[in-house]
Amino acid sequence: MNLNSIVIILLSSFTFTQIRVIVAADNNVIDRLKADVAYLSGPELAGRNVPGPYGDKTAHWVAGRFAEIGLTPAVGDSAFMQKVPLITGLLDTAETMIRYRSSQPQGKNITCLSSWGLENGQGFYIFPKRLAPMDTSCKALYCGHGIVSGDLERNDFRDVDGCAAVVSSGIGELTPREAGRFMFTPFKAAAADQAGAAMLVEVYPPLGKDMALPPRIQRKSGEVNLPLVDLPETAAGFPTVHLFTDMKAQDISGIDLKVVFKDMNQTRGFNVIAGLEGEIPEYIIVGAHYDHLGAVEGDEQNAYYHGADDNASGVAGLLEICRRWHERNRTGRGLIAVAFTAEEDGMLGSRWFVDHLPVPREAVTAMVNLDEIGRRGFANMRDVQKDIEPDPKYAGAYYSAASPKLRDILRSAVHRVDLNVELEPVNNFSHFGDAGPFHEAHIPTVQLFSGFHKDYHSPSDTIDKLDFEKMSSMVDLTSALLEVLTQAENAIEFNPGIRVEKPHIPH
């Protein structure tokens, strides 16, 4: 079917001008996508780690592609590069300490001091995401197992404001279905943070001689000698402490936490930015991060993380969008295309970009982020380990709940592609990479995603597992969405007071 001249009439609270669907030759598109992903996920870029030579090489390659397409630099020079200052450092495990105390009804007070790691089965672990020292003292409040559930009418984090939220590990008497995402520490921490807690302290019993650390803690403890990367002068993040002690969690009345870093160095990365002007000085930002995880420590067989889906697919899709947009008659708003650095280290490139936009903030209408658009995947992580096959045409479109007009915009785009697109409003993008900083800046935001799979952040995320027919359809979806966004006559409002009661959280 020839879609080149379809005219769509939308009945909604806002109107659009006439829309022409863009369709590229499928074979050419797939060949280009394959070639770009093959290079990005191949040995010449060895995992695209940032900061470092392979990350720099990737940035310059993307800039070269922008130039070949004929794009215009959006940062005032001929190199497309926006320098992002970064710092690196190591957690000083010898100086990082916790002091916790009890105040029991019998009047027996106990104070324990532990350094990082375990000694005789007791001690603590903390894995900071931010390179910001911390020296804090606060009261502690016992918060059960850290469960929040409207269905169970339960909120373990009531009245925790300003206190250390101390929780027992596990889910207690609940079933996994009842506990849902609160089986996992990061979701407990997010709920404690939202409730105003100073930190989350998850208490485990001491480890016996033949007992192993929980897998996630064991994995993270093995990475403690890998440098952390951050933006300069970043505020400390929300601390999550894993405490192994014979003291009962409910007896802990106070926490003193000291986090120290060493071997600090200054470095930099690069966002790669191009502009495609429209008829009016307003812009839609479309982006994808180009960095990945670099080399595989101690594994000669798997020398590096390929990152074919995460996120060579997104960068290849971004380049294809740029090719299409450069060739079309651009009416309405323009585009700003961005390949972000240091997403894997905490969205550092996109955070810097949001604070250093190449155009006035009021000229930015919306943002579309492409992250992992190349696989047959599931809508949530729970299904990944099941013995089932994913819907080969599943796609997720997560959007700012604070901008309900985005749902109408997405609806007008999704019926034009051969995908089963689920539209999901979210209150925040804390699990969606570079979409997060834009949403936090009250910019209406959409994240496009092809689904979860078992090769996430694994050396096995390789090009042979990508579905390029589906990936081409994801590019078509992005094109259709950008077409509607650039042509929308009315502004897209962002009202932080609009929230969904039960947002979809993929876990």
Side-chain angles (χ1 to χ4, degrees):
M1 181 174 63
N2 186 343
L3 300 178
N4 284 330
S5 58
I6 288 181
V7 176
I8 299 172
I9 299 175
L10 300 171
L11 300 177
S12 65
S13 58
F14 56 111
T15 60
F16 299 104
T17 57
Q18 183 172 327
I19 295 171
R20 180 176 58 84
V21 178
I22 301 170
V23 177
D26 286 348
N27 289 340
N28 291 337
V29 171
I30 289 173
D31 288 346
R32 288 194 295 264
L33 293 173
K34 285 182 178 179
D36 288 340
V37 172
Y39 181 75
L40 287 163
S41 64
E44 287 193 47
L45 299 181
R48 311 186 303 277
N49 193 37
V50 170
Y54 292 113
D56 289 353
K57 187 175 182 180
T58 308
H60 284 93
W61 179 85
V62 174
R65 282 291 190 266
F66 280 173
E68 289 175 9
I69 293 169
L71 306 186
T72 302
V75 289
D77 60 36
S78 60
F80 299 93
M81 313 290 266
Q82 181 188 53
K83 183 178 178 181
V84 180
L86 300 172
I87 56 174
T88 64
L90 293 170
L91 179 67
D92 190 338
T93 56
E95 297 296 326
T96 294
M97 297 183 179
I98 191 170
R99 188 189 309 271
Y100 53 102
R101 50 194 179 275
S102 71
S103 181
Q104 299 177 349
Q106 298 85 352
K108 181 181 180 183
N109 298 320
I110 303 173
T111 298
C112 299
L113 178 67
S114 295
S115 57
W116 193 93
L118 296 186
E119 184 175 347
N120 297 322
Q122 299 195 57
F124 87 107
Y125 293 94
I126 185 170
F127 307 108
K129 295 180 179 179
R130 305 270 67 87
L131 266 170
M134 180 181 297
D135 194 350
T136 186
S137 179
C138 59
K139 294 181 179 179
L141 180 70
Y142 180 62
C143 299
H145 286 86
I147 308 295
V148 178
S149 170
D151 293 338
L152 299 175
E153 297 183 351
R154 175 172 171 175
N155 181 359
D156 287 354
F157 295 113
R158 287 193 180 96
D159 305 318
V160 76
D161 190 40
C163 298
V166 179
V167 301
S168 299
S169 61
I171 57 175
E173 74 286 357
L174 299 182
T175 65
R177 179 175 292 275
E178 290 173 325
R181 62 183 181 271
F182 291 97
M183 292 178 61
F184 306 105
T185 305
F187 291 97
K188 297 182 181 184
D193 187 15
Q194 186 174 358
M199 67 182 76
L200 180 80
V201 180
E202 189 169 35
V203 179
Y204 300 77
L207 284 187
K209 183 178 180 181
D210 297 323
M211 297 174 64
L213 284 168
R216 183 174 181 274
I217 299 177
Q218 187 170 19
R219 177 177 60 82
K220 296 292 288 184
S221 65
E223 299 172 354
V224 72
N225 291 321
L226 298 178
L228 291 167
V229 185
D230 206 350
L231 295 171
E233 301 179 2
T234 300
F238 184 77
T240 299
V241 174
H242 308 276
L243 180 61
F244 294 80
T245 177
D246 55 11
M247 184 182 292
K248 293 182 179 179
Q250 52 265 48
D251 290 340
I252 297 176
S253 60
I255 297 285
D256 304 323
L257 178 64
K258 182 180 180 182
V259 180
V260 181
F261 297 95
K262 63 181 181 179
D263 299 341
M264 304 287 284
N265 291 292
Q266 295 182 351
T267 182
R268 84 287 178 272
F270 297 100
N271 290 328
V272 191
I273 312 172
L276 295 109
E277 296 293 334
E279 288 181 320
I280 59 176
E282 297 178 9
Y283 302 89
I284 309 300
I285 295 169
V286 56
H289 76 90
Y290 65 80
D291 65 303
H292 197 49
L293 302 177
V296 181
E297 297 292 326
D299 188 343
E300 294 182 0
Q301 183 176 358
N302 298 298
Y304 63 94
Y305 292 88
H306 297 256
D309 193 31
D310 185 16
N311 189 31
S313 67
V315 176
L318 177 67
L319 292 173
E320 185 59 32
I321 293 296
C322 289
R323 293 183 186 101
R324 296 184 185 188
W325 230 255
H326 180 257
E327 294 169 0
R328 70 188 288 268
N329 180 24
R330 295 192 295 276
T331 58
R333 297 177 179 86
L335 294 186
I336 296 175
V338 192
F340 297 111
T341 188
E343 186 270 353
E344 302 289 5
D345 296 295
M347 295 79 69
L348 306 184
S350 54
R351 285 166 55 196
W352 181 263
F353 178 85
V354 167
D355 289 338
H356 301 82
L357 292 169
V359 297
R361 166 63 184 84
E362 59 271 18
V364 177
T365 299
M367 191 274 176
V368 177
N369 191 50
L370 307 178
D371 201 341
E372 298 181 60
I373 63 167
R375 288 284 294 263
R376 296 186 179 188
F378 295 97
N380 59 70
M381 281 295 293
R382 290 173 301 186
D383 291 335
V384 170
Q385 302 303 327
K386 296 179 181 178
D387 189 20
I388 56 176
E389 290 294 322
D391 175 358
K393 295 185 178 181
Y394 163 78
Y398 304 97
Y399 67 94
S400 300
S403 298
K405 283 185 179 180
L406 286 175
R407 187 172 189 88
D408 294 326
I409 289 172
L410 282 160
R411 280 174 172 166
S412 71
V414 299
H415 77 278
R416 297 151 66 180
V417 297
D418 188 21
L419 292 169
N420 298 327
V421 184
E422 293 187 8
L423 307 183
E424 298 287 355
V426 294
N427 296 328
N428 64 72
F429 283 82
S430 58
H431 306 286
F432 299 92
D434 290 312
F438 292 89
H439 176 88
E440 291 167 11
H442 293 184
I443 295 172
T445 301
V446 176
Q447 167 101 5
L448 299 179
F449 171 61
S450 63
F452 292 98
H453 51 80
K454 65 181 180 180
D455 301 302
Y456 173 71
H457 278 194
S458 167
S460 57
D461 178 11
T462 49
I463 188 172
D464 57 295
K465 295 172 183 168
L466 268 58
D467 180 343
F468 284 96
E469 292 282 352
K470 179 178 180 180
M471 188 174 166
S472 178
S473 294
M474 293 293 292
V475 173
D476 293 340
L477 172 61
T478 309
S479 286
L481 174 59
L482 292 173
E483 180 75 20
V484 181
L485 285 168
T486 57
Q487 299 299 318
E489 292 182 357
N490 297 333
I492 304 170
E493 295 182 0
F494 189 106
N495 183 350
I498 300 175
R499 298 176 62 84
V500 288
E501 291 187 6
K502 292 185 178 181
H504 176 85
I505 300 180
H507 60 85

